[in-house]
Amino acid sequence: MKTSGKVWKFGDDIDTDLIIPARYLNTSDPEELAKHCMEDADPKFADKVSESDIIVAENNFGCGSSREHAPIAIKAAGISCVIAKSFARIFYRNAFNMGLPILECNETDQLNTGDSLSVDFDTGMITHQQTGNTYKTKPIPVFMQELIQSGGLMNHIRKKIQNNQA
Amino acid sequence: MGMTLTEKILAVHAGTDQVKPGDLINARVDIALGNDITAPIAIEEFKKSGALTVFDKDRVILVPDHFVPNKDIKSAMQAKILRDFAKEQGLTYFFDAGEMGVEHALLPEKGLVLPGDLVIGADSHTCTYGGLGAFATGVGSTDLAAAMVTGEVWLKVPESIKIVFSGTLRPWVEGKDLILYTIGKIGVDGALYMAMEFTGPIIETLPMAGRLTIANMAIEAGAKNGIISPDTITRDYVEQRAVRDYTFFSSDPDAGYAQVLEFNVNDIEPQVAFPHLPENTRGISEVGQIIIDQVVIGSCTNGRIEDLRTAAKIIKGHAVAKGTRLIVIPATPYVYRTALKEGLFDIFLDAGAVISPPTCGPCLGGHMGVLAKGEKAVATTNRNFVGRMGHPESEVYLASPAVAAASAVLGLIGGPDQL
């Protein structure tokens, strides 16, 4: 699996209230949530972002609330992948469960808004399309890869239920 | 090697004798919890899974507490999804209207979460129950849906950090100050993916309300869970309430810790976390002059009866400063009724406060006290992110009920000694 897109760069501790403010949590409709994605960090983000773009951040991306509306909003806004030095743990789980690819990379301080990246999820290699530089990411634990291969947590559960009924 | 309290609870729930940090386990859950924001997505996923009934109707708990009483039509529709599902599934514990309280204050009070339990909740402050000696952690809606179907959750066994408090507490310093101080020292990702085990002579004598406050904010340091070893204080709290049997676990003397932090509380004064992260803490003497528009006393962090008693003691005989709005939110119907009986409402009302029914409300900028552009608030809540309590250009300062109450009277951020 591969993706490529333009970088939108954010800093440390991007919290779930920045990703999707609680005032919009009276719905779980992905399209509604996408309109307000990253709004309090960059009010025009939803208008500027294009399909398959990539969010790049520093440490502790997604800290705060357990709201799954955060990865839903990011995914529905067209973002194909989030790359950060580290992720808050509930966000990390939620992203895998939702099928939003996320990668941990220690060198995100070398990436900036407007850069074009290509990402190979199988090798975990990120390539900067303008400079040709490559960046390695931390391997995804085998168990999480299995979850992704099953098509997320609920597909995994669904298969289990079907097997039990068979 | 011995195991920590967290590791022991996880091992028992995974049906094994021994676990170590990094192990991936599939564990049985004692309680799976959702609220009006997170449960609608979980219920949708539950239905799509093909499952017909929840794994145990006594162990799936739904509490619509964030945007209720319904704040608008969309919120009403979300809460209705919970109401319909609770009815259809015959859930034993669904708390609505006059029975509803802020989930993490309500469940311990009702004896529904107990020492030795493994609890998951689709709310990040589920870690509160660690104050009782349970393993409790926040998850997303999809994890909740999976647990509602299977009664299980996959978890990675976390490393533990031991935090030891010793010394003598200064006047007005309480659980909230200890946890804010700790987050100030280690940062909002200082315990990322880890278990925070709070211990030492100060914790051993700390009342349950303070223990729940400390565990509640473990997530603000990035932790998977916060936990305190159960003891006689725990027993006194749970024995009259427990709806099930429970088990006390404690860490082995040779348990392994990634880090041990020792804090002498003699050095800790009442703390205030400045915008826009809980790690931006300062002692009350270093705050400077910050004029405030609003004070909120409530939430899953500090909306218990002990918190309201502290606030009332400070406010009694004073009035809220002109130009400042004080909002008091008892976290549960029990807290509400007790405060009423004890005359605390008279004290708050005489001072000019407004009293809200139980709700998370303004903590996350939902309703019942949303801030306008440029406004500043002192809150006993747990997060002060950008836009957390309303307008993106408003500010939230986190503090204890004592500091919040004093600030309401002063009209600026200050401690009880300044009154």
Side-chain angles (χ1 to χ4, degrees):
Chain A
M1 203 172 93
K2 286 179 182 158
T3 190
S4 57
K6 201 162 76 266
V7 168
W8 296 96
K9 180 69 187 288
F10 295 91
D12 283 326
D13 305 317
I14 297 300
D15 63 69
T16 49
D17 282 274
L18 287 175
I19 298 170
I20 181 73
R23 58 186 178 275
Y24 303 119
L25 297 185
N26 54 5
T27 177
S28 52
D29 176 17
E31 280 181 30
E32 275 297 308
L33 295 171
K35 287 182 199 162
H36 305 291
C37 183
M38 307 304 290
E39 184 174 294
D40 288 354
D42 178 352
K44 297 262 189 283
F45 182 80
D47 298 332
K48 294 190 293 192
V49 70
S50 316
E51 193 64 32
S52 145
D53 281 356
I54 296 169
I55 286 180
V56 177
E58 304 280 333
N59 288 297
N60 201 27
F61 186 89
C63 63
S65 155
S66 68
R67 62 188 71 151
E68 220 157 80
H69 310 66
I72 292 175
I74 290 174
K75 207 177 162 191
I79 294 294
S80 64
C81 142
V82 182
I83 304 168
K85 285 183 183 168
S86 64
F87 290 88
R89 63 159 285 276
I90 306 177
F91 184 90
Y92 186 85
R93 281 184 83 102
N94 286 349
F96 277 96
N97 288 341
M98 299 292 313
L100 170 70
I102 59 173
L103 292 167
E104 289 179 294
C105 172
N106 288 326
E107 297 165 296
T108 58
D109 44 357
Q110 296 178 35
L111 302 172
N112 296 297
T113 294
D115 292 354
S116 292
L117 302 181
S118 60
V119 181
D120 184 331
F121 294 109
D122 299 326
T123 61
M125 194 65 82
I126 300 168
T127 308
H128 193 297
Q129 291 178 337
Q130 285 105 337
T131 65
N133 290 345
T134 57
Y135 306 96
K136 267 206 91 60
T137 59
K138 284 184 204 157
I140 297 169
V142 178
F143 176 78
M144 311 287 281
Q145 289 181 30
E146 284 169 14
L147 270 189
I148 293 174
Q149 279 159 13
S150 303
L153 181 64
M154 287 316 287
N155 280 330
H156 190 69
I157 302 282
R158 222 166 282 146
K159 278 181 199 158
K160 254 182 154 173
I161 293 176
Q162 282 161 1
N163 290 343
N164 289 345
Q165 285 167 349
Chain B
M1 181 141 80
M3 289 193 286
T4 65
L5 170 58
T6 293
E7 289 156 10
K8 284 185 185 178
I9 297 172
L10 293 178
V12 164
H13 286 81
T16 177
D17 294 335
Q18 184 91 28
V19 297
K20 57 180 190 314
D23 287 354
L24 278 162
I25 58 166
N26 211 36
R28 176 175 59 75
V29 306
D30 292 301
I31 294 294
L33 166 73
N35 61 47
D36 50 319
I37 290 180
T38 58
I41 299 176
I43 291 167
E44 194 184 327
E45 289 297 324
F46 175 90
K47 290 187 171 163
K48 282 198 283 187
S49 78
L52 298 174
T53 55
V54 296
F55 81 101
D56 186 335
K57 65 183 176 53
D58 295 332
R59 291 174 186 267
V60 174
I61 301 180
L62 297 180
V63 187
D65 58 355
H66 279 59
F67 291 165
V68 294
N70 304 337
K71 82 178 178 94
D72 54 25
I73 294 170
K74 282 183 178 174
S75 307
M77 297 303 288
Q78 290 201 127
K80 189 167 186 300
I81 294 172
L82 272 67
R83 295 185 176 114
D84 291 346
F85 186 76
K87 196 172 165 192
E88 169 197 312
Q89 292 287 323
L91 299 187
T92 313
Y93 302 110
F94 172 64
F95 298 96
D96 202 3
E99 295 182 315
M100 184 278 290
V102 175
E103 51 192 333
H104 308 309
L106 189 66
L107 267 52
E109 186 189 286
K110 295 276 184 192
L112 291 168
V113 286
L114 294 163
D117 275 0
L118 191 156
V119 181
I120 63 153
D123 187 279
S124 59
H125 293 108
T126 301
C127 54
T128 308
Y129 316 134
L132 294 161
F135 174 89
T137 193
V139 296
S141 299
T142 303
D143 276 315
L144 173 62
M148 280 166 33
V149 176
T150 63
E152 293 176 350
V153 65
W154 70 266
L155 293 165
K156 192 165 152 186
V157 178
E159 290 186 300
S160 291
I161 300 185
K162 180 150 82 173
I163 298 141
V164 188
F165 293 104
S166 53
T168 309
L169 288 175
R170 291 193 194 184
W172 304 112
V173 171
E174 52 189 90
K176 183 63 163 287
D177 304 296
L178 300 180
I179 189 64
L180 285 176
Y181 181 84
T182 305
I183 297 164
K185 286 286 173 198
I186 69 175
V188 291
D189 61 352
L192 198 58
Y193 305 121
M194 292 172 146
M196 294 173 91
E197 185 175 322
F198 302 94
T199 179
I202 295 297
I203 299 295
E204 284 160 19
T205 55
L206 197 69
M208 187 50 67
R211 295 181 181 191
L212 293 166
T213 301
I214 288 179
N216 172 272
M217 289 191 70
I219 178 68
E220 309 315 331
K224 182 169 213 151
N225 66 310
I227 199 159
I228 292 171
S229 199
D231 56 15
T232 53
I233 290 173
T234 317
R235 191 175 303 280
D236 288 345
Y237 183 85
V238 296
E239 67 184 352
Q240 300 301 320
R241 316 164 185 265
V243 299
R244 287 179 279 116
D245 291 339
Y246 50 89
T247 314
F248 281 18
F249 291 94
S250 59
S251 295
D252 292 326
D254 60 341
Y257 293 90
Q259 203 182 349
V260 178
L261 299 171
E262 298 195 30
F263 296 126
N264 186 332
V265 302
N266 297 19
D267 304 333
I268 302 176
E269 55 173 339
Q271 301 285 303
V272 177
F274 276 50
H276 289 286
L277 286 174
E279 70 183 23
N280 297 333
T281 53
R282 295 187 200 176
I284 192 74
S285 64
E286 294 162 353
V287 164
Q289 182 165 321
I290 296 167
I291 295 167
I292 49 171
D293 303 282
Q294 180 170 297
V295 174
V296 174
I297 298 176
S299 83
C300 58
T301 314
N302 282 123
R304 283 172 280 270
I305 188 65
E306 293 83 351
D307 301 313
L308 267 53
R309 283 181 190 139
T310 300
K313 197 162 130 188
I314 290 163
I315 287 174
K316 191 173 185 179
H318 295 282
V320 174
K322 211 171 165 51
T324 304
R325 315 179 293 267
L326 170 60
I327 302 169
V328 179
I329 312 174
T332 69
Y334 163 80
V335 177
Y336 194 104
R337 190 189 295 270
T338 308
L340 182 67
K341 278 188 186 165
E342 291 182 2
L344 309 186
F345 282 2
D346 286 329
I347 295 170
F348 294 133
L349 291 168
D350 287 346
V354 59
I355 297 165
S356 159
T359 180
C360 303
C363 173
L364 74 164
H367 60 158
M368 295 287 182
V370 174
L371 298 174
K373 183 176 178 177
E375 287 191 327
K376 293 179 167 62
V378 174
T380 66
T381 57
N382 42 53
R383 289 195 177 123
N384 54 355
F385 299 153
V386 170
R388 177 72 182 178
M389 198 172 270
H391 195 281
E393 289 173 43
S394 61
E395 293 183 351
V396 177
Y397 296 77
L398 304 175
S400 68
V403 168
S407 301
V409 174
L410 294 164
L412 44 79
I413 303 177
D417 293 339
Q418 290 167 249
L419 293 182

